Amino acid sequence: MVTAVAQRLLSQRKQVDDTLAHFSLNRDQLRVVRDKMRVELERGLRKDSHSSASVKMLPAFVFQTPDGTERGKYLALDLGGTNFRVLVVKIRSGIRKSVRMYNKIYAIPHEIMQGTGEELFDHIVHCISDFLDYMGMKNTRLPLGFTFSFPCRQTGIDKGSLVSWTKGFKATDCEDHDVVDMLRDAIKRRNEFDLDIVAVVNDTVGTMMTCAYEDSKCEIGLIAGTGSNVCYMEDMRNIETVEGDEGQMCVNTEWGGFGENGCIEDIRTKFDREVDEGSLNSGKQRFEKMTSGMYLGEIVRQILIDLTKRGLLFRGRITEPLKTRGIFETKFLSQIERFISTYTLIIALMHLQSLGSTCDDSIIVKEVCGAVSHRAAQLCGAGMAAIVEKIRENRGLEHLEITVGVDGTLYKLHPHFSRVLKDTVRDLAPKCTVSFVLSEDGSGKGAALITAVARRYCDKRRQEWLKLRIDKYLYSMRFSDETLLEIMSRFRRELEKGLSQDTNPTATVKMLPTFVRSIPDGTEKGDFIALDLGGSNFRILRVKVSHEKKQTVQMETEIYDTPEDIIHGSGTRLFDHVAECLGDFMEKHKIKDKKLPVGFTFSFPCAQTKLDEGILLTWTKRFKASGVEGMDVVKLLNKAIKKRGVRFTDIMAVVNDTVGTMMTCGFDDHRCEVGIIIGTGTNACYMEEMRHIELVEGDEGRMCINTEWGAFGDDGMLEDIRTDFDRDIDRGSLNPGKQLFEKMVSGMYMGELVRLILVKMAREGLLFEGRITPELLTKGKFETKHISAIEKSKEGLSKAKEILARLGVEPSADDCIAVQHVCAIVSFRSASLVAATLAAILTRLKDNKHVPRLKTTVGIDGSLYKMHPQYARRLHKTVRRLVPECDVRFLLSESGSGKGAAMVTAWAYRLCGDAQQNLRHSSGDHAGNGRGGESMEV
């Protein structure tokens, strides 16, 4: 008797085990599933096989994951089951990066799920209306992201046609229709509010984006809940169903359809087929029906019925509840498998369904639940292994590290599902380290993030398109390196022409000798006055150079305004004004009784025959004082000072501001042998070999040459690169036909150049909707300092809006971007041209020294170089690109050209002292020899 019972129990046990054995997949079977999934992934991506592929690989038109710069307020909808969520999501970027969400959950009644499409979307809009009322936001037009968790064929981020309903939905007139259009139509029917629908996304994509916001390695999204699906970032070159090869795009695999072509029939069981036949979409979503929470409970129920019919369970009695489809919910699997040693809960669940279960029955029920859920996790793991291996091969990596963002109740609540899934991926994809991150905030947050990313991406693409359009419009202002090298060559020829006695009269670059024969050597000392005249502001400095422990410089400065009527008045008034300011300075600083040596920085083209003489050749920088051109400015200043009655030692030196800058920087770096001004005006000087300067006698040593490069091109040499805007600037200037290079690059003219471009673009309807204000038409209203403000990386666009508003323009965001790009093109051209001419000077220095590689320092001053956020970097990069054989240090002159004038004065004062001492010695020698005294000119 006992033996018969034992045999019966053993037989029953074997039958149960045999039944569940069909759910046990070995490693080889899982590898086959992985490989078949990989084949279907590839088929879904290819144009020729996409239509017949069971894994549809639908492009999501999401091109990027979050990068942390997303910000703003967004509305998000989340439809994917019996509940529908509406959320407001507030995203902050920067140091205080955060996402805050407010949401309400609304039920979708069964009759609406299976009613008409119009009824479904009217219900959705009713819920949105209620939520907006609740949040007090009905009058706010928010950007909206719509998580629509059903297979959609997308042709854009905001265009998605429903392929087929899943998860129990059967609303009519929706399949093959654009769900965004249906939502917009429902909003119009209600006529209570308006929304900017930016993106429609799958819940899987939303999950990936949510997790990617926290983990930049997250490029895969997995849903393991009511449904089952995966998305990932695929290389665009592999997605044949959309145009373009650059970058990446998220692909919604819709892997739930895997097996619809019969490729996994060998692992499907009769229970899977029974579940499929009893579903709303028989023959479809076969993989999902083996792996998702919507169907696992039903598979278990079918197994329990089979075992009961065979007398292996519940004493062979099938109760009415057990016959009911859907009565055994998937959540029961999680609850049953969570208990290890006690079957109290299992028995309670069985009693709840009128199943008089025994302890043995409970054991079998738990085994059934375990077998079904274990297979589901393994199948998901095999599919995931196919995807991570594909990504690794796409990138040509030996080893891939990647993160998967996961959401879904099955993954979250089942006690073993996540572990089995991870173990399977690890086993089937050994060359990939895969981390799984749980999405705590659901796909609603992801919809908002996708909307933010989509807007950022669209803004970026629109900005690129705008910039491309402006680049085409201003193509003549963009120079290739080939063009810059040609300009460099032309300028090099002009340098040589200006140095030659024969060709100097016709040279545009005058190469004026300054009679400064060395840079500071560290022996300079004394107390000096420096005058600095070169613009609307006039500076006077007292410079003390001492040698107590180390050479130090102390400076006291006063700045005086030079009114417009004096700049355009007579020369007498101008120099009287300078003398008056000097008297005021000496009074303020209590030095009116001291006789201090004076250095005069005069920042206009002068011909010099000695250090303390300067014949003005021509006014620049809007100066037009009469009776000065052709005169010695030192004599004019001496005359004005004597008239004022100021005590002073004779003016020892007159220098250009460029020379002053070189000398200032030379005080700190003895390798400095080039000076550049890039500000209101522009100019350069450098130390030239005396043997090459035919305008001055002598071949020994070096002398600083003031190039006066602002006139480069006055002979028509730059006509091929000048634009109509440059010609308009020149025609409206005080000195038409002169200083043409300076008018293309200096701060005096850049703002006006931008204004002329903006006016023309507005007239052609490319800016400001074609509106032109009187302020925009007013010369000088757009200043060069505005260019510097607009090109700042962070607040540049807001500054553009503010500046344009002051010009009476109400700019759009696109207008501000366009204006910023115009400013960038104009300033970049300036930096490029200055780089080309500076490169010519550097190559000349290198050739003069006969060295294979030049190491030198360039001293720079000027507001454009100092204040513009990009100018210096652009200049440096272009110079290094044009003359790679030169190692150049760029040294900013912190103290201006006034200190440099003092350095030149100190050098001249020391030279004068040495000459006088030599004269005294010479006189003594003559007296001893009985010769008469002789004078020496210094």
Side-chain angles (χ1 to χ4, degrees), residues 72-76 87-91 99-102 131 142 444-449:
K73 187 186 292 185
Y74 304 90
L75 195 68
L87 310 88
V88 164
V89 184
K90 296 179 180 177
I91 305 173
V99 178
R100 295 172 66 189
M101 297 191 296
Y102 308 88
F131 180 78
L142 292 174
K445 173 181 172 182
L449 284 166

Side-chain angles (χ1 to χ4, degrees), residues 9-139:
L9 290 174
L10 284 171
S11 174
Q12 288 177 344
R13 179 72 260 176
K14 185 176 184 305
Q15 289 180 68
V16 170
D17 289 344
D18 288 346
T19 300
L20 298 183
H22 297 292
F23 290 88
S24 179
L25 301 176
N26 61 39
R27 193 178 190 190
D28 288 339
Q29 286 175 304
L30 290 171
R31 281 176 175 163
V32 170
V33 172
R34 177 198 64 190
D35 295 343
K36 287 180 177 179
M37 176 67 82
R38 176 65 185 270
V39 169
E40 288 301 301
L41 296 177
E42 302 289 358
R43 290 186 73 236
L45 289 171
R46 289 201 306 272
K47 206 169 193 174
D48 60 350
S49 55
H50 173 81
S51 60
S52 61
S54 62
V55 180
K56 286 301 180 187
M57 304 296 281
L58 304 173
F61 291 86
V62 172
F63 297 94
Q64 298 170 335
T65 53
D67 63 4
T69 63
E70 295 77 21
R71 60 181 179 176
K73 187 186 292 185
Y74 304 90
L75 195 68
L77 313 180
D78 188 2
L79 176 66
T82 54
N83 290 326
F84 168 62
R85 281 201 308 160
V86 188
L87 310 88
V88 164
V89 184
K90 296 179 180 177
I91 305 173
R92 295 179 67 172
S93 60
I95 298 172
R96 300 174 70 183
K97 187 176 91 166
S98 65
V99 178
R100 295 172 66 189
M101 297 191 296
Y102 308 88
N103 73 89
K104 279 186 82 173
I105 298 174
Y106 299 88
I108 306 282
H110 188 264
E111 62 271 18
I112 287 180
M113 289 172 65
Q114 300 197 3
T116 67
E118 190 169 298
E119 288 169 344
L120 173 61
F121 281 92
D122 283 346
H123 177 72
I124 290 170
V125 170
H126 168 75
C127 298
I128 296 170
S129 177
D130 176 77
F131 180 78
L132 292 175
D133 276 334
Y134 172 73
M135 295 296 296
M137 300 172 69
K138 233 177 193 165
N139 295 323

Side-chain angles (χ1 to χ4, degrees), residues 306-343:
D306 179 74
L307 294 175
T308 304
K309 282 180 178 177
R310 290 155 59 192
L312 303 174
L313 198 62
F314 308 138
R315 301 184 184 90
R317 188 170 63 89
I318 301 175
T319 62
E320 285 304 315
L322 191 58
K323 293 177 183 176
T324 307
R325 179 174 290 275
I327 194 71
F328 200 98
E329 299 176 47
T330 299
K331 68 180 180 182
F332 295 160
L333 275 73
S334 300
Q335 292 167 350
I336 288 169
E337 288 197 70
R338 190 173 289 118
F339 284 82
I340 299 171
S341 59
T342 176
Y343 295 90

Side-chain angles (χ1 to χ4, degrees), residues 161-176:
S161 297
L162 177 64
V163 175
S164 62
W165 282 119
T166 57
K167 306 174 194 174
F169 276 72
K170 266 294 181 181
T172 60
D173 302 322
C174 292
E175 292 181 0
D176 295 322

